[in-house]
Amino acid sequence: TRRVITCDATSFDDVDFVANFKSTQRGVVLKSVNAWLSKHGLIKRTQIDAIAGEDVSGVHYDAILYKLQQHMTDAFEVAFMIPEHEVKSVEVFLRGALWLDAVSMVADERGLNCIVRAIHVEQSAVGKLLSTKAKISPGYRVSKIKGRNVVGKKKDDIVKMLKECGNDLRVEFAVVFEEGKLLWYGYGDEQVKVKVQVPQKHVQLQLAPYSNENAITITDVD
């Protein structure tokens, strides 16, 4: 996973580096991470891919560290390549598309993926179920729809697919949400409860397919 983070002079405090390719001393990976980098989803063996827009993935180890030092005087962007690691996934069986009104979705910086920005638990019983029963929170992203992998797809295309699957209210369909944090995608403070103005009539329409709590089935994929 490629992630771009705005860094500063303190971002790499107490961080150890090692060459990605020991034989040629090219590339840099994180041998350890501090609390700040960990909060942004970085882990050990994460590679520095670009600094201030310049590709450094194949540059000599010493040159990469020198470039980092050069930019420490001001805020600058660093692109990281994060190795595969296990995250929690939750499978939810849904019916209809009105549940989407209970969730605010955003894309990453490239317009890809469908990431939960907020769940409107105070205005929607559906939102409350997703938050309290499924334990879905801001930062989770839609990873599968009806068994189809949608990671890396355009956010608008994913939302369109969700709406199309919800056209038939008689049939439930499975959506898998993958654990994550908003900071991983460049967004700020995470809030599960967001107060928004929703007309009461709209709320009633939203709740209609879910008059029974069992209309939403939650399965822990792990």
Side-chain angles (χ1 to χ4, degrees):
T1 302
R2 193 175 193 268
R3 186 162 300 149
V4 179
I5 300 175
T6 301
C7 301
D8 58 26
T10 65
S11 298
F12 296 95
D13 286 353
D14 302 320
V15 174
D16 295 321
F17 305 95
V18 66
N20 192 25
F21 300 99
K22 291 184 179 180
S23 60
T24 60
Q25 287 293 294
R26 294 192 177 277
V28 166
V29 295
L30 306 182
K31 185 178 180 181
S32 65
V33 295
N34 57 26
W36 188 84
L37 292 176
S38 179
K39 188 177 181 180
H40 284 76
L42 303 191
I43 59 176
K44 293 180 181 179
R45 302 301 302 172
T46 294
Q47 179 184 352
I48 295 178
D49 191 55
I51 300 173
E54 180 182 353
D55 184 3
V56 297
S57 57
V59 177
H60 193 275
Y61 173 84
D62 292 334
I64 296 174
L65 295 188
Y66 178 71
K67 287 181 183 294
L68 279 178
Q69 289 295 331
Q70 280 185 315
H71 289 281
M72 289 295 186
T73 57
D74 202 355
F76 63 103
E77 287 190 343
V78 179
F80 299 91
M81 289 298 295
I82 305 171
E84 294 294 328
H85 60 292
E86 291 185 1
V87 292
K88 180 181 178 182
S89 295
V90 178
E91 187 174 45
V92 184
F93 290 88
L94 300 158
R95 186 184 300 117
L98 289 174
W99 67 273
L100 285 167
D101 293 334
V103 183
S104 294
M105 300 286 198
V106 291
D108 61 21
E109 71 276 2
R110 295 177 295 169
L112 307 178
N113 294 303
C114 196
I115 305 155
V116 176
R117 173 61 168 158
I119 301 177
H120 309 310
V121 299
E122 296 182 1
Q123 288 78 20
S124 168
V126 180
K128 188 174 182 179
L129 280 174
L130 292 173
S131 176
T132 60
K133 188 174 181 181
K135 305 298 183 184
I136 294 170
S137 59
Y140 273 65
R141 69 178 178 181
V142 177
S143 62
K144 290 183 180 180
I145 302 173
K146 296 177 67 174
R148 179 179 174 183
N149 190 340
V150 295
V151 173
K153 303 292 184 182
K154 291 182 179 180
K155 181 247 185 181
D156 291 342
D157 290 342
I158 298 173
V159 172
K160 180 181 178 181
M161 190 183 305
L162 289 169
K163 290 180 178 179
E164 288 175 349
C165 290
N167 284 339
D168 189 349
L169 295 177
R170 300 169 300 175
V171 181
E172 288 185 343
F173 60 98
V175 178
V176 176
F177 291 86
E178 182 182 272
E179 181 184 21
K181 295 182 181 296
L182 287 174
L183 282 172
W184 296 2
Y185 305 101
Y187 293 96
D189 295 337
E190 301 184 31
Q191 296 182 355
V192 176
K193 296 182 179 180
V194 177
K195 293 184 178 181
V196 293
Q197 296 297 322
V198 183
Q200 185 65 26
K201 182 179 180 181
H202 189 65
V203 172
Q204 293 301 321
L205 287 173
Q206 187 179 56
L207 296 180
Y210 306 100
S211 57
N212 187 325
E213 183 174 312
N214 293 327
I216 298 183
T217 306
I218 311 300
T219 304
D220 190 340
V221 171
D222 295 337

